């Protein structure tokens, strides 16, 4: 790949031998073991459908948007899903602006294959009016910094953005009931996308004639690796896609070992993504809570004093009213006299 070739030109023979020799001893330049991932961080933007993923020095941002379009003729009841990648020279000097290169095309195809062929996104739920209007979901992946293993980071960014995206709710109206009405968020709460599972991409790099294997290669390791294989699996261990990009052949036993390791890594990454999404949803829900206006302050002491004054006035009135029994006694005494 052009990206790997560009990194190779900046490497010396001693640097290449140092990396290869360390891998033969199950050591890596950054201190990891062969099957350890770099630290994964998932952040979200202020708007729904934006995610930012960082693995070591690799930095990828994903955005999800949607628009109403006419469906394909062979799938009148299904929406569509498309992925676009942007490799900016800001992320790596070897990236050229303009037309996407080989690495950009390959990255988009691998991520798209993992999502589309495994039917992770429920496209039938994107249908608004069969044969006329469906939602078209677009995922834009921007490479901000190339620290190696862009494919895994881009895949995680796409999944995180899809899980936090909310599309407007629609209803049918008009005289014939065929008019689509898109409700703004102020009227009706937007709806999340339906994801059946999370296909996680796990990339392996092969070194020294495929004898050494390492997971999550850095850009230094990508410059000296002899081959690469990306497996896409979900948390249940179901294989969604496999991509072997160049290099010599790999033994079946090595592939099976990689699949077992990838299944464990896919479960760990799925838990991290779900935890980050749950935290984001909780924070968003708290911000949407409508705060009630503060209650009007009441003068409790004043009300109590008024009540005491009323009770006191009633007591005074009772004291001034003569008792009927006393009047009768006085009248009887006067008659006797």
């Amino acid at each position: 790949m052009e990206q790997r070739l560009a990194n190779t030109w900046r490497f010396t023979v001693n640097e290449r031998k140092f990396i290869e020799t360390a891998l033969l001893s199950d050591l890596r330049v950054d201190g990891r073991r062969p099957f350890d991932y770099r630290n994964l961080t998932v952040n979200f933007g202020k708007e729904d459908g934006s995610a930012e993923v960082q693995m070591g020095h690799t930095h990828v941002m994903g955005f999800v948007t949607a628009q109403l379009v006419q469906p394909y003729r062979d799938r009148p009841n299904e929406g569509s899903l498309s992925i676009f990648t942007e490799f900016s020279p800001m992320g790596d000097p070897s990236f050229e602006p303009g037309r996407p290169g080989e690495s950009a095309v390959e990255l988009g195809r691998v991520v798209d294959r993992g999502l589309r062929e495994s039917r992770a996104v429920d496209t039938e739920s994107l249908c608004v009016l069969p044969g006329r209007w469906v939602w078209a979901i677009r995922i834009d992946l921007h490479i901000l910094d190339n620290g190696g293993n862009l494919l895994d980071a881009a895949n995680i960014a796409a999944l995180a953005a899809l899980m936090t995206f909310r599309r407007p709710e629609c209803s049918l109206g008009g005289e014939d009931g065929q008019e689509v009405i898109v409700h703004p968020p102020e009227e009706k709460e937007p709806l999340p996308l339906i994801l059946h599972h999370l296909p996680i991409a796990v990339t392996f790099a092969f070194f020294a004639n495929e004898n050494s294997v390492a997971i999550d290669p850095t850009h230094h390791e990508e410059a000296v690796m002899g081959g690469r294989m990306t497996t896409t699996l979900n948390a249940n261990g179901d294989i969604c896609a496999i991509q072997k990009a160049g290099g010599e052949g790999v033994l079946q036993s090595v592939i099976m070992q990689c699949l077992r390791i990838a299944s464990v890594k896919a479960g760990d990454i799925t838990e991290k993504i779900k935890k980050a999404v749950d935290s984001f949803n909780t924070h968003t829900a708290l911000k949407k809570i409508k705060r009630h206006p503060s209650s009007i302050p009441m003068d409790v002491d004043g009300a109590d004093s008024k009540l005491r004054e009323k009770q006191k006035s009633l007591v005074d009135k009772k004291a001034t009213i003569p008792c009927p029994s006393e009047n009768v006694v006085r009248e009887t005494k006067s008659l006797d006299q």
Side-chain angles (χ1 to χ4, degrees), residues 223-239:
V224 300
M225 68 182 181
R228 182 182 61 185
M229 182 180 70
T230 300
T231 61
T232 305
L233 305 90
N234 56 23
N236 299 325
D238 301 327
I239 300 175

Side-chain angles (χ1 to χ4, degrees), residues 85-116:
T85 58
E86 180 183 354
F87 280 48
S88 171
M90 178 183 65
D92 194 313
S94 63
F95 298 151
E96 296 182 359
R99 186 177 181 180
E102 179 185 349
S103 56
V105 174
E106 181 183 1
L107 186 144
R109 287 179 177 176
V110 174
V111 176
D112 180 79
R113 187 183 302 118
L115 289 171
R116 189 193 304 274

Side-chain angles (χ1 to χ4, degrees), residues 45-46 48 166 189 277-289:
K46 296 181 179 180
D48 296 336
R166 301 291 185 272
E189 190 71 18
V277 172
D278 291 341
S279 177
F280 171 77
N281 291 336
T282 302
H283 180 70
T284 304
L286 292 175
K287 294 173 65 176
K288 290 183 179 180
I289 295 178

Side-chain angles (χ1 to χ4, degrees), residues 30 33-34 48 98 137:
D30 55 4
R33 304 294 294 177
D48 296 336
I137 306 300

Side-chain angles (χ1 to χ4, degrees), residues 66-264:
Q67 63 176 349
L68 287 174
V69 298
Q70 294 182 356
Y72 296 107
R73 293 183 178 180
D74 57 340
R75 290 176 294 173
N77 299 328
E78 296 184 12
S80 61
L81 177 68
S82 57
I83 297 177
F84 297 87
T85 58
E86 180 183 354
F87 280 48
S88 171
M90 178 183 65
D92 194 313
S94 63
F95 298 151
E96 296 182 359
R99 186 177 181 180
E102 179 185 349
S103 56
V105 174
E106 181 183 1
L107 186 144
R109 287 179 177 176
V110 174
V111 176
D112 180 79
R113 187 183 302 118
L115 289 171
R116 189 193 304 274
E117 294 189 2
S118 65
R119 302 190 69 84
V121 180
D122 188 358
T123 54
E124 293 183 358
S125 63
L126 302 176
C127 179
V128 178
L129 189 61
R132 295 189 59 181
W133 296 108
V134 296
W135 285 105
I137 306 300
R138 171 175 174 147
I139 305 175
D140 289 280
L141 299 174
H142 301 269
I143 308 302
L144 303 181
D145 194 0
N146 178 23
N149 195 15
L150 292 174
L151 204 154
D152 292 8
N155 180 80
I156 297 174
L159 292 175
L162 286 172
M163 294 180 69
T164 56
F165 177 71
R166 301 291 185 272
R167 65 172 180 83
E169 186 173 355
C170 299
S171 61
L172 300 179
E175 298 179 356
D176 56 353
Q178 301 295 312
E179 181 182 352
V180 177
I181 302 174
V182 181
H183 300 280
E186 294 78 12
E187 295 182 3
K188 291 188 177 182
E189 190 71 18
L191 302 177
L193 299 177
I194 299 178
L195 298 178
H196 298 300
H197 61 93
L198 299 181
I200 305 297
V202 181
T203 299
F204 296 88
F206 303 100
F207 304 88
N209 296 327
E210 320 293 341
N211 292 326
S212 300
V213 183
I215 204 172
D216 183 25
T218 63
H219 66 289
H220 294 295
E221 294 171 342
E222 286 181 343
V224 300
M225 68 182 181
R228 182 182 61 185
M229 182 180 70
T230 300
T231 61
T232 305
L233 305 90
N234 56 23
N236 299 325
D238 301 327
I239 300 175
C240 304
I242 296 180
Q243 170 82 1
K244 176 70 168 60
E248 298 181 1
V250 182
L251 296 176
Q252 181 180 359
S253 58
V254 177
I255 295 178
M256 296 304 297
Q257 179 188 8
C258 293
L259 291 177
R260 287 191 293 268
I261 297 173
S263 178
V264 177

